[in-house]
Amino acid sequence: MHVRNGDERLLRWERRMELPLFVGSAVFLGCYAVLVLAPHTSQGWRDLALAGVLLTWAVFLVDYLVRLTLSGLGRHFPRKHWLDTVVLALPLLRPLRIVNAYSAVRRRHHGPRLSLYGRVMAYAGLSAVLLGFATALAVYQQERGAPGATIRTFGDSVWWAASAITTVGYGDVTPVTPWGRVFAVVLMACGVALLGAVTGSFSSWLIQLFGREDGAVEPGGPSDGDGRRPPGG
């Protein structure tokens, strides 16, 4: 009974935090973009953006600690909720919570409107875009002005992120700083997983689609072009 009550409290907390986490993720990405892309803006705006970044981190920290307490898992919580643990440790991945929270809100209020394959492709694709944009910001922040850097503009960083997340890797622009390369490894690892999910779901959808067409055309065996079985068949 105690475990069931704990699960119910955890579920209520997670539902209550869906919207704040969604807003916090969007605020973090916007404030971080201001800090990186507008370095010469007024100090007041920079302070406000920095406060937004720190506030969102505090929100995620409180949410993480509360769910750790309510789950009753203790030291096993980080392993079972590894994405939340990684997002808390690496703010670079925090925009991924936008997709997670958005899908939860849609499921609770309206229900999914896409098929399973469609949802996987849509959410994985959106995650790839958000992760690529956040990584481009982080790498640009580290690379600009670094000795021997080939990523000198944000456009260079976006181009690099697109080639890295798709595992194309042209090599014309590459990170040279230690942290830039760390971010590159994170992006490539996540990119393989996300794009693999999109490719796998798309392939499964095609197989299912063609399977339905074959079943409709050939319900009892081979047929001619009009859907009728040939004479003597």
Side-chain angles (χ1 to χ4, degrees):
M1 183 59 124
H2 177 70
V3 175
R4 178 177 300 179
N5 291 336
D7 292 339
E8 292 176 354
R9 290 197 301 269
L10 178 60
L11 183 60
R12 287 197 300 269
W13 172 262
E14 290 178 343
R15 289 178 175 174
R16 190 179 300 118
M17 291 299 295
E18 285 170 359
L19 183 59
L21 292 178
F22 175 84
V23 174
S25 299
V27 169
F28 168 82
L29 189 59
C31 291
Y32 185 52
V34 170
L35 291 175
V36 175
L37 300 179
H40 304 298
T41 190
S42 65
Q43 188 61 39
W45 283 108
R46 289 186 60 80
D47 291 342
L48 183 62
L50 180 60
V53 169
L54 296 177
L55 178 62
T56 57
W57 187 85
V59 170
F60 274 80
L61 177 61
V62 170
D63 172 67
Y64 186 87
L65 294 177
V66 170
R67 289 194 295 117
L68 186 152
T69 302
L70 295 178
S71 68
L73 296 174
R75 59 188 179 88
H76 300 291
F77 183 84
R79 179 173 57 84
K80 291 185 177 294
H81 297 268
W82 61 270
L83 178 59
D84 296 313
T85 305
V86 172
V87 167
L88 183 65
L90 293 177
L92 174 68
L93 301 178
R94 197 164 300 159
L96 295 181
R97 291 295 309 219
I98 294 178
V99 180
N100 188 32
Y102 175 71
S103 63
V105 172
R106 282 282 303 274
R107 184 172 59 250
R108 186 175 65 172
H109 294 289
H110 303 290
R113 298 180 180 178
L114 298 174
S115 66
L116 174 61
Y117 297 128
R119 292 199 304 274
V120 171
M121 288 187 285
Y123 295 148
L126 180 57
S127 297
V129 171
L130 291 172
L131 181 62
F133 179 69
T135 308
L137 288 172
V139 169
Y140 175 56
Q141 183 182 36
Q142 297 297 320
E143 296 292 311
R144 61 184 178 189
T150 57
I151 300 177
R152 298 185 178 90
T153 67
F154 183 62
D156 293 337
S157 188
V158 171
W159 168 252
W160 164 82
S163 63
I165 199 171
T166 55
T167 67
V168 174
Y170 288 108
D172 52 345
V173 287
T174 55
V176 298
T177 61
W179 275 110
R181 291 177 174 174
V182 169
F183 295 145
V185 171
V186 173
L187 178 63
M188 286 184 284
C190 294
V192 169
L194 291 172
L195 295 183
V198 173
T199 304
S201 297
F202 183 68
S203 300
S204 298
W205 175 73
L206 288 178
I207 293 173
Q208 185 184 64
L209 178 63
F210 293 150
R212 287 200 302 264
E213 290 181 352
D214 291 343
V217 173
E218 303 179 9
S223 64
D224 60 15
D226 296 329
R228 297 173 297 183
R229 296 185 65 184

